[in-house]
Amino acid sequence: ISHTWFLNIVQNEFRNGKIDLDSTMRLLEKLQMPFDYAHVKHVFKKTLDKQKAHTITMEDFRAIYRTIVHRAEFHELFRAYSPNSKILADAELIEFLRREQYETEACETAALEIILKYEPIEEVRKRRQMSFEGFIRYLSSEDCSVFKKDHRTVYQDMNHPLCDYFIASSHNTYLISDQLIGPSHLWGYTSALLKGCRCLEIDCWDGSNNEPVVYHGHTLTSKIQFRSVIQVIDKYAFVASDYPVVVSLENHCSPKQQEVMAECLESILGDKLLTSTIGGDTEVTQLPSPEALKFKILVKNKKVGTIEESMLRRDLDSHGETGDVSDFEILSDEDEFDDKAPLCPRSDSSKRKSEYRPSHTPRKKAKVKKIKIALALSDLVIYTKSEKFVSFEHSLANQKCYENNSIGEVRARKFIKHSANEFVSHTSRFITRIYPKGTRTTSSNYNPQEFWNVGCQM
């Protein structure tokens, strides 16, 4: 039966005796078997090498078909369940589904559906049986894939607050090589977004002609224009996913160039940029969901005051206005090499050198400094306000739901070891980002699993 079925399908193509590569491809499509173009081309050429010709006979085609489709492991499986090695009765297919595929529910129905869907030979299909041809079509199909096809689309509930989700994140997204002397490149952003990344990092510094630049400060990495980065984000933000993109700014710019950054974000991103709360609420007690933030780009940066104050300023011209944000560092032995600053600071940066002095005795000191933030940029920060992490107790008492923390991997690992419960409680309320230690100059990554285990989202 199988031989007759095969001949009926292919013989018309061989009425002139032989076929070329394109006709071979079309015939394989007609036989409804998935195949790889390059693989078929390779096998076709191999067949021709023996004959020194450009076309193949029906027997050559049959040999190519068997090479590609009749895999040895498929034969082995089929023979294990088919008493005559030619046909699987429905009862034998049910046995295969139970023992090999771990199908436990509605096996009879599933078996019948598989036969009707994948058995190409009509006489066999009518008898509720399956030939080897039908069996290999089923094994090569999506229905047989280990990956559940229902999960190719979003199947989770996307209506919980944003802090309830793990967020695909990148670090120093502009760097496509090492962290010290490698190139900064727009491809870093394109590549990350096409892979489905939802959090991008931009290190911003004052550039010439009042145009901010992006590079890894105090290193020899090359520079790219902030404006160009935002144009790339605008183009690729929602190619791989509809869900929100967080633009995490590590902002070292003067207020004047921060205003340029704000202008770039607003003029280039337009309606994609989130500039007010969802529904215009002035009081925020819970983060919105990914569903509510679809096709929106959020700015993550330090912010002057609260969302409520930003909303009240919405219609006022804040050009030239700045606000002070207190920034303080608690330097201790636990996060000695955990800062984002590079390990080879410029010779004029004595402050940096002292911070990276090897220490064998625990020390802890706080440095408080005021940072000027342009209100135009500050007011673009809605649900992702960067807030320095002090302690779990401090966050519980003072932190607002739209304020998020960044913690270095070394320090975070110590919290996991000594305060795991408090860490889980913290991440259930606030978005928490773990960044790699400064010694990862080759752009290696930490294992994210241990931080996912306590709920760290980024």
Side-chain angles (χ1 to χ4, degrees), residues 384-401:
T384 40
K385 176 184 177 182
S386 298
E387 193 66 33
K388 196 79 179 178
F389 179 76
V390 181
S391 67
F392 294 132
E393 297 75 21
H394 182 271
S395 291
L396 194 58
N398 302 287
Q399 201 162 313
K400 294 181 168 63
C401 67

Side-chain angles (χ1 to χ4, degrees), residues 167-213:
I167 300 167
S169 305
S170 61
H171 177 69
N172 290 354
T173 317
Y174 49 92
L175 293 179
I176 58 170
S177 182
D178 65 86
Q179 306 282 306
L180 298 175
I181 59 171
S184 301
H185 204 285
L186 294 173
W187 172 247
Y189 292 94
T190 307
S191 172
L193 288 167
L194 291 178
K195 289 171 186 169
C197 200
R198 299 288 90 190
C199 178
L200 312 170
E201 189 176 36
I202 312 178
D203 284 20
C204 314
W205 298 80
D206 281 357
S208 56
N209 303 320
N210 204 32
E211 282 289 335
V213 291

Side-chain angles (χ1 to χ4, degrees), residues 162-169 427 430-432 452 455-458:
L162 198 57
C163 57
D164 283 11
Y165 299 85
F166 295 123
I167 300 167
S169 305
T427 56
F430 312 112
I431 291 175
T432 305
W452 284 337
C456 297
Q457 297 89 341
M458 291 180 172

